[in-house]
Amino acid sequence: MAASIIEKKRYTYDDYLKTPDDKRYELIEGELSMTPSPITNHQRISGRIEFELRKFVSGNDYGEIFDAPYDVYFDDENVVQPDILFISKDRLNIIGDKNLQGAPDLVIEILSESNAYRDLIQKKKLYARFGVKEYWIVVPGEKTIDIHILKDKTYQLYKTLGEYDTLESQILKGFKMELKGIFK
């Protein structure tokens, strides 16, 4: 008996636009995935980080901060919704009426059980490929943040910070954030 080959459908941005509005979806390498709503602690951490970033960025007129759900369109088969992202002032032209058209300067993803593989492997590769300069991975259970810096189209781990450390961004010069207030 001959082996059956099952062809997997590749989705595009047009397919993505037809997904229900009451759910969050992402499109990575043509694969459409639903993202469950974040849990309470995830939202608390996200809100605290976003507050600190927004205060610094707007206070210094450095650019703009956005949070999920907000589409980042890389190409017709790659559309994601990072937890938090930053676009520098000199790149505000990539902000469209409906989504971001290109790579943010900084992306922050907060891990949960349902998205760990996607954030640590799939999206990390995608962000590097499309040129996101700095990528923070927040691990709530461990109370850590890994800062990755893009070098030669791949991420290098710059620092792993714990709950009693002070985070300093490489692309947001002068930004400092005490992590003890983030994970409380």
Side-chain angles (χ1 to χ4, degrees), residues 2-8:
S4 297
I5 297 174
I6 299 172
E7 192 172 318
K8 195 172 183 180

Side-chain angles (χ1 to χ4, degrees), residues 41 45 137-146 160-165 179-180 182-184:
N41 193 43
I45 291 169
I137 299 173
V138 181
V139 186
E142 296 176 12
K143 298 183 178 181
T144 61
I145 298 179
D146 292 339
T160 297
L161 302 165
E163 67 180 307
Y164 300 108
D165 292 327
L179 297 188
K180 64 184 172 197
I182 300 302
F183 294 110
K184 63 181 176 182

